[in-house]
Amino acid sequence: VSNSLRIDTIPPEIADLNVKVIRGTTDITGDIAIISDIIEISGNMATLMPDVILTANLSDIGGSANHNIPFVGGSTAPNVTTTSFRTTFAIPKGVSENSITREFVITAKDLAGNLITKAAIPPVFVDNLPPTISGGNVANVSRPGLIARHGDQIAISAAVGSLDGGSVYVDLRDLG
């Protein structure tokens, strides 16, 4: 009696791995990624391994913990036909502040369960937490409690959060 046993002890190997940030059609890698920017992760496996599955953990910026990274041309395990891979992810509104560096960890796993992880470079700052504004109030300072008229001085106030060094302005063009 004989039977066969398949053995796979060779883990996948990622040769190169890159991340870039795209705003509109412009590569802004090195700048802070914001809502609607595109994160692009791409690279190449060291050798052609037809049974490899690639995922990225994008959970810190509002994505999946197992975001699938397709191979160029659309081939999938167990019939991967290329070493090149690429994925994009549009940054949604979320809770990431620009003071935290985000490293996107890629996992390469073959069907036997051999796996490796590698961080895409460069790390990216992601700010997908929009500013908030609340408690807006307009008051007549010249004649408190009365309707404002020509010559009166008005005060405008509001509570603003998560501004990150940005600015707040009030458009008064409709006042005449």
Side-chain angles (χ1 to χ4, degrees), residues 1-175:
V1 172
S2 74
N3 61 6
S4 60
L5 173 65
R6 292 178 57 198
I7 298 174
D8 178 353
T9 60
I10 301 171
E13 183 180 345
I14 298 173
D16 61 274
L17 181 58
N18 304 293
V19 63
K20 67 180 175 178
V21 179
I22 302 165
R23 183 169 298 149
T25 58
T26 305
D27 180 346
I28 63 158
T29 303
D31 199 354
I32 296 170
I34 60 173
I35 297 168
S36 298
D37 284 351
I38 302 294
I39 299 289
E40 179 184 275
I41 299 170
S42 62
N44 292 287
M45 301 300 295
T47 59
L48 178 62
M49 297 183 82
D51 65 341
V52 173
I53 298 169
L54 299 170
T55 59
N57 183 350
L58 302 178
S59 61
D60 287 342
I61 60 167
S64 166
N66 292 301
H67 177 87
N68 183 56
I69 302 176
F71 283 89
V72 174
S75 62
T76 60
N79 300 307
V80 174
T81 58
T82 183
T83 59
S84 300
F85 55 86
R86 180 180 168 276
T87 191
T88 58
F89 178 76
I91 298 175
K93 179 179 172 183
V95 296
S96 180
E97 271 290 13
N98 61 354
S99 59
I100 300 171
T101 305
R102 300 295 179 187
E103 276 193 344
F104 301 112
V105 177
I106 310 309
T107 300
K109 183 177 180 180
D110 66 19
L111 295 180
N114 299 307
L115 71 88
I116 60 157
T117 59
K118 188 172 184 175
I121 54 173
V124 177
F125 287 96
V126 176
D127 185 352
N128 63 352
L129 179 63
T132 59
I133 188 164
S134 62
N137 187 40
V138 179
N140 185 340
V141 176
S142 301
R143 299 175 312 120
L146 298 176
I147 297 172
R149 65 179 181 202
H150 180 73
D152 283 350
Q153 195 173 38
I154 60 171
I156 300 171
S157 63
V160 179
S162 300
L163 198 55
D164 298 336
S167 60
V168 176
Y169 68 93
V170 177
D171 184 350
L172 300 174
R173 290 179 292 186
D174 289 341
L175 290 181

